[in-house]
């Protein structure tokens, strides 16, 4: 049977459950997923030579990582050629591209330092998302940036944040797509602090000052990302969940960003999505896979990824939730890491779109919990793979079994020559 024949047969099966798979594919095709540039070079960036510091860590030493903007862009192109549907590109301030001999520190960054990213995105018809980089820099003092007691340190990082707002606005204007700008710092302490509120008060004021930089709310979507703890800052994180949630709630236009690696292991972001959507017009996500902790493994089609997608779809919130991926595995081929993660998110969304969501909701409201359980279980065995394969074929994109050969070929022809 051909892929199309299998699709036609699967479509009939789904139709009997009340699901229109053609419509599902049509929706999926237009859901933008933001692909993080930092999977390509283990979060190194182009503005410093030193190691990754400031509360995050990559592990692994797989050969062939991108060392220059050209290599990173080529690798992103290769990855994107293996991913169907709409994409955005997510970059960090540390990926500024300077002319020969030119340098600007983080507080002095300007739109022109990102002109090549704009060109890259525009040529591909994609939007850009942005992140100030509050890590891997000598101006982190005693583990703190925006929450430092030293006013000069705080000033430097506030100016960085403001510069990033201006750059985000430039991205939105140049690409015609709103730019999600995410504030995350690793600020915190390794051991038990004597003052937990002081750093948070300073953080609050510093973020408010960054947000006071003028920007168009339709174009720039500033976010604050919380975290439970970071490597080296195990005892206390300034930007905790309660802090960031309240920060976003109290600042018009500021979105809460949830990274599903940033919570206690039995907490799930899938349940937090509908809670947040009751109060916020828009929210943002970093979808990742934490293995026992915020390990940032490659996103797979696992239970929580499916639940996250289900909630976005069931809340009818595809246009209210900005979906970005955030992980960095340096132990495997990095193109495969991008492609598998992006495809996993799309598969999860496709699965969610191919559920009789209205009918299931009705069963819940009518108190028919037995039928609900039985139907939900039955849906798990439906032939989603036939829909996915058809979608890939229609998009001119390789199927799951063809993926490895593509990645392997690129590794042999391109990555292995990077020595
Ligand atoms: C770190 C946060 C943050 C970073 C990126 C690189 O724990 O998740 O989002 O991963 O900014
Ligand atoms: Zn994150």
């Amino acid at each position: 049977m051909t892929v199309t024949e299998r699709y036609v047969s699967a479509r009939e099966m789904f139709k009997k459950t009340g699901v229109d798979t053609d419509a599902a594919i049509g929706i999926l095709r237009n859901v933008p997923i933001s692909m993080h540039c930092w999977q390509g070079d283990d979060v190194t960036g182009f503005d410093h030579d030193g190691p990754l510091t400031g509360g995050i860590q990559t592990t692994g030493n797989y050969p062939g990582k991108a060392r220059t903007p050209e290599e990173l862009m080529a690798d992103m192109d290769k990855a994107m050629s293996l991913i169907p549907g709409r994409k955005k590109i997510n970059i960090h301030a540390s990926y500024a591209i300077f002319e020969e001999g030119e340098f600007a520190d983080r507080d002095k960054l300007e739109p022109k330092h990102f002109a090549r990213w704009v060109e890259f995105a525009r040529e591909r018809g994609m939007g850009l998302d942005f992140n100030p980089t509050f890590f891997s820099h000598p101006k982190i003092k005693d583990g703190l940036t925006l929450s430092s007691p030293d006013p000069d340190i705080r000033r430097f990082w506030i100016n960085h944040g403001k510069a990033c707002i201006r750059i985000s606005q430039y991205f939105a204007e140049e690409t015609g797509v709103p730019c999600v700008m995410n504030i995350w710092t690793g600020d915190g302490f390794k051991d038990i602090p004597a003052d937990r509120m002081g750093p948070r008060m300073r953080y609050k004021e510093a973020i408010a000052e960054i947000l006071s930089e003028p920007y168009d709310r339709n174009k720039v979507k500033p976010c604050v990302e919380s975290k439970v703890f970071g490597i080296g800052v195990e005892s206390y994180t300034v930007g905790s969940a309660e802090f960031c949630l309240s920060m976003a709630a109290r600042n018009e236009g500021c979105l809460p960003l949830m990274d599903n690696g940033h919570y206690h292991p039995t907490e799930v972001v899938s349940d937090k999505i509908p809670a947040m959507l009751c109060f916020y017009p828009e929210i943002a996500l970093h979808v990742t896979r934490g293995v026992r902790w915020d390990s940032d493994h490659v996103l797979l089609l696992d239970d929580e990824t499916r639940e996250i997608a289900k909630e976005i779809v069931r809340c009818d919130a595809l246009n209210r939730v900005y979906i970005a991926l955030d992980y960095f595995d340096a132990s495997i081929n990095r193109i495969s890491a991008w492609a598998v993660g992006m495809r996993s998110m799309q598969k999860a969304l496709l699965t969610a779109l191919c559920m009789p969501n209205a009918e299931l909701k009705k069963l819940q409201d009518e108190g028919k919990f037995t039928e609900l359980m039985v139907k939900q279980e039955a849906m798990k065995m439906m032939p989603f793979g036939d829909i996915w394969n058809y979608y890939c074929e229609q998009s001119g994109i390789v199927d799951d079994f063809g993926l490895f050969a593509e990645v392997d070929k690129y590794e042999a022809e391109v990555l292995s020559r990077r020595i």
Side-chain angles (χ1 to χ4, degrees):
M1 255 166 116
T2 65
V3 168
T4 304
E5 284 163 353
R6 294 191 75 97
Y7 175 69
V8 170
S9 143
R11 181 169 59 189
E12 274 312 299
M13 285 177 71
F14 275 96
K15 209 172 176 182
K16 286 194 187 121
T17 71
V19 171
D20 180 345
T21 54
D22 288 335
I25 288 175
I27 294 168
L28 180 66
R29 202 186 297 285
N30 286 308
V31 179
I33 315 280
S34 195
M35 187 172 109
H36 54 312
C37 76
W38 53 91
Q39 166 59 59
D41 71 340
D42 315 339
V43 209
T44 307
F46 308 129
D47 74 343
H48 66 102
D49 291 327
L52 180 62
T53 62
I56 49 173
Q57 192 61 268
T58 52
T59 53
N61 194 20
Y62 200 81
K65 84 168 182 179
R67 299 159 302 181
T68 62
E70 293 72 26
E71 288 180 354
L72 185 60
M73 287 175 183
D75 291 358
M76 291 176 85
D77 266 337
K78 181 65 205 178
M80 289 190 293
S81 77
L82 305 170
I83 302 160
R86 253 182 91 189
K87 295 138 215 135
K88 277 181 105 180
I89 295 158
N90 205 356
I91 63 171
H92 244 282
S94 52
Y95 290 77
I97 303 175
F98 301 116
E99 300 287 325
E100 191 67 32
E102 182 196 23
F103 177 73
D105 209 349
R106 302 247 173 104
D107 60 331
K108 302 264 162 26
L109 287 171
E110 290 176 50
K112 68 172 182 192
H113 301 125
F114 296 89
R116 281 179 57 199
W117 283 110
V118 164
E119 194 188 330
F120 181 78
R122 282 177 64 144
E123 279 169 8
R124 287 151 189 80
M126 294 173 193
L128 280 167
D129 291 327
F130 199 45
N131 306 260
T133 310
F134 297 101
F135 51 81
S136 303
H137 192 281
K139 280 224 159 58
I140 302 170
K141 191 176 170 192
D142 301 327
L144 305 179
T145 62
L146 288 173
S147 68
S148 170
D150 180 335
D152 293 338
I153 296 290
R154 273 200 321 276
R155 175 53 43 207
F156 175 84
W157 291 110
I158 290 168
N159 288 343
H160 175 52
K162 285 168 163 268
C164 288
I165 295 232
R166 297 190 291 270
I167 294 161
S168 299
Q169 172 104 7
Y170 156 73
F171 285 171
E173 275 161 9
E174 292 292 321
T175 62
V177 181
C179 173
V180 176
M181 191 200 95
N182 179 44
I183 296 173
W184 173 77
T185 72
D187 287 22
F189 297 121
K190 183 180 177 74
D191 221 328
I192 303 159
D195 176 14
R196 290 173 182 269
M197 190 167 156
R200 288 186 173 136
M201 286 303 290
R202 292 190 290 267
Y203 200 38
K204 178 184 169 192
E205 274 170 32
I207 296 174
E209 198 177 333
I210 293 173
L211 298 177
S212 74
E213 181 69 21
Y215 66 91
D216 181 338
R217 286 212 191 124
N218 295 316
K219 292 180 179 160
V220 180
K221 307 285 175 176
C223 308
V224 279
E225 177 180 12
S226 68
K227 190 159 175 171
V228 63
F229 79 94
I231 199 157
V233 288
E234 290 85 357
S235 297
Y236 166 81
T237 299
V238 182
S240 60
E242 294 73 16
F243 177 91
C244 289
L245 194 57
S246 309
M247 190 79 215
R250 292 297 194 119
N251 287 272
E252 194 70 32
C254 182
L255 281 56
L257 186 146
M258 293 187 288
D259 178 315
N260 63 303
H262 291 190
Y263 296 85
H264 290 281
T266 59
E267 279 187 81
V268 281
V269 162
S270 51
D271 183 59
K272 298 176 192 296
I273 292 169
M276 302 280 231
L277 288 172
C278 293
F279 296 94
Y280 291 92
E282 294 180 318
I283 63 169
L285 297 178
H286 273 181
V287 191
T288 186
R289 178 168 53 109
V291 178
R292 306 190 188 283
W293 70 291
D294 182 35
S295 61
D296 285 295
H297 279 65
V298 175
L299 190 68
L300 302 179
L301 184 60
D302 59 15
D303 285 350
E304 177 56 3
T305 308
R306 286 173 194 259
E307 287 304 316
I308 287 172
K310 259 199 238 170
E311 289 305 332
I312 301 170
V313 169
R314 286 176 174 178
C315 295
D316 196 16
L318 281 166
N319 57 356
R320 294 173 61 197
V321 181
Y322 294 99
I323 306 171
L325 304 193
D326 180 18
Y327 53 79
F328 21 92
D329 190 338
S331 75
I332 54 171
N333 177 298
R334 296 170 184 81
I335 316 286
S336 78
W338 267 320
V340 169
M342 293 285 283
R343 291 166 67 111
S344 296
M345 188 69 231
Q346 294 173 332
K347 286 176 193 170
L349 287 167
L350 180 67
T351 309
L353 287 162
C354 290
M355 293 276 183
N357 291 314
E359 192 200 325
L360 296 173
K361 198 171 145 198
K362 192 158 166 272
L363 290 176
Q364 173 180 315
D365 289 345
E366 288 169 351
K368 296 180 176 167
F369 299 119
T370 309
E371 194 179 346
L372 177 59
M373 178 186 73
V374 171
K375 278 232 164 92
Q376 292 201 118
E377 284 307 287
M379 285 311 295
K380 289 184 181 167
M381 298 305 280
M382 290 292 282
F384 294 103
D386 290 338
I387 318 286
W388 170 254
N389 288 339
Y390 176 75
Y391 173 55
C392 287
E393 192 177 271
Q394 288 276 302
S395 311
I397 301 283
V398 72
D399 70 11
D400 289 355
F401 284 106
L403 186 66
F404 179 71
E406 284 282 329
V407 169
D408 204 34
K409 185 161 174 270
Y410 188 77
E411 182 165 325
E413 288 172 2
V414 181
L415 304 179
S416 67
R417 307 224 166 118
R418 290 179 189 164
I419 28 169

